[in-house]
Amino acid sequence: MTPPSARRHVARLKRAMLRDAVAENLAIIEGLPKRRTHRVPRNSWLWWIPVTVVALGILVGTLKPTAAGRGRPQPDESVATGVAVRQDAERAKPEQLPMLSAPRAVDPATFRLAVRRVVVDPGHGGNDPGAMTRGMREKDLTLDVARRLNAALRAVGFEVVMTREGDETVSLHQRVVAANDAHGDLFLSIHVNSIPTPVRRGVETYVLGTTSDPRVEKLAGAENSGSGYSLADFRRLLEGVLIDVRHDESRRFAQKVQNHMFAALRRSNPELEDRSVKQAPFVVLVGTEMPGVLAEVSCLSNPEDTLLLKDGNYRQSIAEALAAGVRDYAASRERATAVARRGPGAL
Amino acid sequence: MTKEKNNALHLGIDLGTSRSSVSASNGQHHVVESYIGWPVDMVARKLIKKPVLFGHEALENRPMLDLHRPLERGLIKEGSEKDELAVRELIRHLISLVEPQSNQKVLAVVGVPAEALRVSKQHLRNAVKGVADALMIVSEPFAVAYGMDALLHTMIIDIGAGTTDFCVMNGRYPTEEDQRTLTNAGDSVDEQLATMLRARVPEAQFSIHMVRSWKEQWSFVGEPPRAVEVTVPVNGKPTVIDITADMRRACESLLPPIVETMLDLVSRVDPEYQEKVRRNVILAGGGSQIPRLSEALEGALADVGGGHVRAVEDPVFAGSKGSLAIALDAPESDWERLPG
């Protein structure tokens, strides 16, 4: 039996909470911010620093001439959002390639502070099998690893958007549009390598950039096949992208992915080479508006790697290593956010 | 509960990712699976003979339907008119189930996943426009706490299908700082289980709906209470597969993020009251019924001084009954300010 004084106390609490619930609903109806009902910590003004920086960054970003335009706005900058790109794609004649716009150079402060939604891109698919050997096809392997990665990331609280869910043909442009439409915080494209020298094996992670390595050029050519973009298109796009903070963040993300892949897979594959983080002009990394990497998770051209890839446990290890890379990068962003919140002198 | 004020019917609705329930002041209560489907074409319309199907009926006829589960991952999909329409239709359907009289005002409190209220409150409000005479939206864990009078020094952990919502009740209306949402919930367990089975028995044929029903029957954490065996077609031949270890691993995947969030929220409570909160952890939602989950969470609390975790007695209706309690307590003057 609850004492009357306790019942009165609960009734008082309920009345106060009901008032706040009604106030919140009225604020929603009127489109107003929610009424704050708790005491504000004395140092709460510190929270406004990153918020203000982000707001200023967005404002400055919309006013300043971009590096891509070198002082004047580019005609295709207005289609930088995924929605606009899709509308363009819908309007385009069949033989006309949709415009792939270079994302604008942005202030680092405009990047979202937390990593929440990860776009996972299983390479190839449908009519495009990718590399093939001994009855194994790159498109099947990338999808399998992507599904496992999806589960692993969801299990630790990330949202995951897949650019393809099954064995379907998805153009590189559609992948880019899907990633941008999903407003992903990170983009991770999964591929399986095929190296001309079959004894070589290893893992490597790519970020967007130019390359003078003929092998990497060839690899990018193979992965970009069917995109229809010319070298001149790339040069124009890369001018706008390379100075972008996205590139720095992509490099950090790539390094985390590469470290985890190599460390994890070496346990069951002692001959594995760390083929490091490299840069190459992959189409899927050009148009995506978030930090993005392309991971070559094994070598189908190597017989031992092929055997290992047949094993579901090995593919699970690859997925878990990629997930660990995402987690590690996300944690580093959170640490950076915490430092920013503490304000100047925190370090 | 049969309180009638000025010929109004008060409703509490728990709009969940997987199941939605309604409790009404006329004593009726119902639950439906949160699926809404529209016939895909003329042929389907002729066969189904209904403009829209709900719940189990929609799921059963899914090949002929444009099927929607509008609050997947605890959020209404932004910009998806069909999902907004699905939310509206689902609430209309729930209201029709409790049979309001034609001259009765319908005053409804709708509990939604905390994340949906935080992220898409305007969308939700738009989606529910016009379904009742007056309507209030609250977060599900708050509704559960309100219905149980657990308003002080209590933590509600509502493990649904799309999200796990945490809410610390400090004797005030919960703010964003008092709440957390994880996407580790029933659906992520299903996905994990399906992925593990596909990897172990690649030839086995099963759907995510089958996996969900296995989980609902045989989920557990800790030592297995019994062997979990299911029969699925393998290369077309019905085959018994032991999924005990997979079930355990999939269900236990919920533990690390839930424990971490629970301990983090406890550590943010005024130190004077942390022990009280630890001793008052309430599990709600379908996930609260996973055998031995309470004990596993109590084990984690033992490392920080011990605590007590209990599950609500009626996980299906705890949210809608809490929302109904709010609806009945709200004064008429407030309802007049909250159009439906």
Side-chain angles (χ1 to χ4, degrees), chain B residues 221-281:
Chain B
V221 298
E223 286 307 310
R226 71 189 96 70
V228 181
E229 291 177 336
V230 295
T231 305
V232 292
V234 175
N235 295 325
K237 185 180 160 195
T239 307
V240 176
I241 302 175
D242 186 322
I243 61 165
T244 315
D246 308 282
M247 182 67 80
R248 178 177 178 172
R249 212 173 132 198
C251 293
E252 287 187 351
S253 70
L254 290 177
L255 285 175
I258 289 180
V259 166
E260 192 183 323
T261 309
M262 175 178 73
L263 296 182
D264 180 47
L265 276 170
V266 168
S267 73
R268 286 162 195 269
V269 172
D270 191 329
E272 203 179 329
Y273 303 120
Q274 286 187 7
E275 190 185 345
K276 285 187 174 175
V277 173
R278 289 201 311 268
R279 301 211 168 277
N280 244 329
V281 178

Side-chain angles (χ1 to χ4, degrees), chain B:
Chain B
M1 259 183 262
T2 53
K3 187 175 168 186
E4 303 282 335
K5 289 194 271 191
N6 297 336
N7 195 31
L9 180 66
H10 294 79
L11 300 185
I13 292 175
D14 176 355
L15 196 62
T17 307
S18 169
R19 289 191 182 90
S20 295
S21 63
V22 58
S23 298
S25 56
N26 62 8
Q28 293 216 38
H29 51 268
H30 299 270
V31 61
V32 294
E33 287 178 275
S34 303
Y35 287 100
I36 301 100
W38 289 269
V40 286
D41 52 26
M42 280 297 289
V43 179
R45 252 196 302 278
K46 285 233 167 209
L47 282 169
I48 289 166
K49 298 189 180 80
K50 285 182 187 172
V52 59
L53 296 187
F54 298 93
H56 188 65
E57 198 181 7
L59 207 52
E60 288 284 292
N61 291 286
R62 62 183 177 274
M64 288 184 282
L65 300 178
D66 175 15
L67 193 69
H68 285 252
R69 201 183 176 206
L71 288 172
E72 206 148 19
R73 285 179 228 149
L75 291 172
I76 187 164
K77 283 174 208 151
E78 224 167 289
S80 167
E81 281 177 23
K82 205 74 179 182
D83 280 325
E84 285 189 14
L85 182 61
V87 167
R88 192 154 45 238
E89 289 292 344
L90 183 59
I91 295 179
R92 275 207 184 109
H93 178 63
L94 289 165
I95 293 174
S96 73
L97 289 176
V98 298
E99 299 170 328
Q101 291 164 13
S102 56
N103 58 344
Q104 252 183 330
K105 266 189 180 177
V106 173
L107 312 178
V109 171
V110 181
V112 297
E115 186 74 346
L117 189 57
R118 197 176 68 80
V119 178
S120 17
K121 46 192 160 199
Q122 294 291 358
H123 279 277
L124 269 169
R125 193 77 217 186
N126 290 339
V128 297
K129 212 180 252 176
V131 297
D133 294 293
L135 189 138
M136 193 187 324
I137 303 175
V138 298
S139 80
E140 264 163 23
F142 169 65
V144 170
Y146 195 97
M148 298 176 73
D149 287 351
L151 305 174
L152 197 55
H153 312 316
T154 306
M155 184 187 295
I156 306 288
I157 305 179
D158 183 355
I159 308 171
T163 57
T164 297
D165 291 335
F166 296 73
C167 181
V168 176
M169 298 301 297
N170 290 318
R172 64 182 186 215
Y173 186 66
T175 63
E176 283 180 13
E177 288 98 288
D178 302 322
Q179 303 188 71
R180 291 272 199 292
T181 295
L182 298 175
T183 50
N184 310 81
D187 286 354
S188 66
V189 172
D190 302 340
E191 283 167 21
Q192 285 236 0
L193 187 52
T195 304
M196 282 188 273
L197 287 180
R198 266 188 215 112
R200 195 158 63 82
V201 193
E203 304 82 17
Q205 294 165 297
F206 54 85
S207 69
I208 197 73
H209 303 292
M210 292 161 74
V211 173
R212 189 165 297 144
S213 78
W214 299 337
K215 176 198 70 184
E216 284 169 1
Q217 287 179 72
W218 297 304
S219 63
F220 69 95
V221 298
E223 286 307 310
R226 71 189 96 70
V228 181
E229 291 177 336
V230 295
T231 305
V232 292
V234 175
N235 295 325
K237 185 180 160 195
T239 307
V240 176
I241 302 175
D242 186 322
I243 61 165
T244 315
D246 308 282
M247 182 67 80
R248 178 177 178 172
R249 212 173 132 198
C251 293
E252 287 187 351
S253 70
L254 290 177
L255 285 175
I258 289 180
V259 166
E260 192 183 323
T261 309
M262 175 178 73
L263 296 182
D264 180 47
L265 276 170
V266 168
S267 73
R268 286 162 195 269
V269 172
D270 191 329
E272 203 179 329
Y273 303 120
Q274 286 187 7
E275 190 185 345
K276 285 187 174 175
V277 173
R278 289 201 311 268
R279 301 211 168 277
N280 244 329
V281 178
I282 299 173
L283 298 183
S288 67
Q289 301 307 295
I290 297 177
R292 299 192 192 160
L293 183 61
S294 304
E295 290 87 336
L297 296 180
E298 280 181 359
L301 287 171
D303 297 339
V304 291
H308 179 61
V309 182
R310 66 193 158 111
V312 294
E313 282 172 13
D314 185 357
V316 176
F317 291 104
S320 60
K321 283 179 179 169
S323 294
L324 175 60
I326 296 171
L328 289 166
D329 285 351
E332 205 172 329
S333 56
D334 281 342
W335 281 121
E336 283 167 8
R337 296 193 293 157
L338 296 167

Side-chain angles (χ1 to χ4, degrees), chain A:
Chain A
M1 188 73 185
T2 320
S5 61
R7 281 207 302 273
R8 278 198 299 276
H9 183 53
V10 169
R12 262 200 311 276
L13 288 177
K14 282 185 160 181
R15 277 197 298 276
M17 288 185 190
L18 260 177
R19 270 198 302 275
D20 285 334
V22 170
E24 184 181 55
N25 274 266
L26 289 172
I28 296 169
I29 292 167
E30 291 158 18
L32 299 171
K34 193 171 81 174
R35 203 178 87 182
R36 291 180 78 83
T37 54
H38 64 289
R39 67 195 156 85
V40 178
R42 236 178 301 167
N43 62 349
S44 66
W45 61 272
L46 285 174
W47 287 74
W48 286 98
I49 294 173
V51 173
T52 311
V53 169
V54 169
L56 280 173
I58 291 167
L59 186 65
V60 171
T62 55
L63 297 177
K64 74 179 179 189
T66 68
R70 284 175 301 283
R72 61 197 160 78
Q74 293 292 286
D76 52 318
E77 273 175 359
S78 60
V79 293
T81 66
V83 174
V85 171
R86 188 172 56 192
Q87 284 165 350
D88 263 14
E90 281 160 5
R91 279 200 299 268
K93 290 172 192 167
E95 68 276 17
Q96 214 173 20
L97 196 67
M99 201 60 200
L100 190 66
S101 59
R104 285 179 296 186
V106 291
D107 190 300
T110 61
F111 266 96
R112 288 175 61 162
L113 298 173
V115 176
R116 184 185 166 87
R117 188 172 297 153
V118 182
V119 179
V120 174
D121 174 44
H124 308 279
N127 299 334
D128 171 17
M132 289 191 286
T133 186
R134 297 177 183 85
M136 295 180 80
R137 298 177 299 188
E138 185 180 359
K139 66 172 183 176
D140 302 325
L141 294 166
T142 56
L143 184 60
D144 180 83
V145 171
R147 281 176 175 159
R148 291 165 191 269
L149 173 61
N150 181 351
L153 288 175
R154 280 175 190 276
V156 290
F158 289 98
E159 289 177 28
V160 179
V161 175
M162 301 267 284
T163 57
R164 71 177 171 100
E165 301 276 358
D167 184 16
E168 52 203 288
T169 307
V170 184
S171 74
L172 297 174
H173 178 73
Q174 284 168 328
R175 290 168 200 255
V176 169
V177 171
N180 292 342
D181 273 358
H183 302 294
D185 301 311
L186 285 180
F187 179 83
L188 174 52
S189 188
I190 301 168
H191 287 257
V192 185
N193 220 337
S194 182
I195 303 174
T197 321
V199 289
R200 305 287 299 271
R201 62 163 95 169
V203 287
E204 51 193 11
T205 309
Y206 284 91
V207 292
L208 181 66
T210 53
T211 179
S212 53
D213 182 341
R215 188 195 72 77
V216 174
E217 235 170 30
K218 200 172 165 188
L219 176 67
E223 307 288 21
N224 291 339
S225 64
S227 75
Y229 296 104
S230 71
L231 202 61
D233 288 333
F234 272 112
R235 252 183 235 118
R236 182 183 61 77
L237 293 165
L238 291 179
E239 272 179 6
V241 173
L242 287 180
I243 49 102
D244 201 326
V245 68
R246 200 181 344 264
H247 187 248
D248 294 338
E249 288 304 321
S250 296
R251 263 206 163 274
R252 285 191 195 103
F253 177 30
Q255 197 58 60
K256 304 276 187 200
V257 167
Q258 178 69 15
N259 291 348
H260 281 281
M261 265 205 302
F262 180 64
L265 300 183
R266 203 179 187 188
R267 280 178 227 134
S268 44
N269 191 353
E271 301 296 317
L272 193 75
E273 281 176 55
D274 183 355
R275 296 173 67 85
S276 76
V277 172
K278 295 171 177 164
Q279 55 180 44
F282 292 111
V283 162
V284 287
L285 301 181
V286 175
T288 41
E289 295 175 349
M290 66 286 309
V293 302
L294 184 149
E296 298 279 0
V297 299
S298 269
C299 283
L300 259 181
S301 46
N302 179 277
E304 285 80 17
D305 264 16
T306 309
L307 270 180
L308 284 167
L309 281 168
K310 279 186 178 158
D311 182 355
N313 290 330
Y314 189 72
R315 298 197 299 275
Q316 185 65 27
S317 307
I318 294 173
E320 281 170 7
L322 294 173
V326 171
R327 277 204 314 272
D328 199 358
Y329 174 79
S332 73
R333 292 290 306 163
E334 273 170 22
R335 281 195 294 275
T337 306
V339 169
R341 276 178 183 162
R342 283 201 293 271
L347 291 171

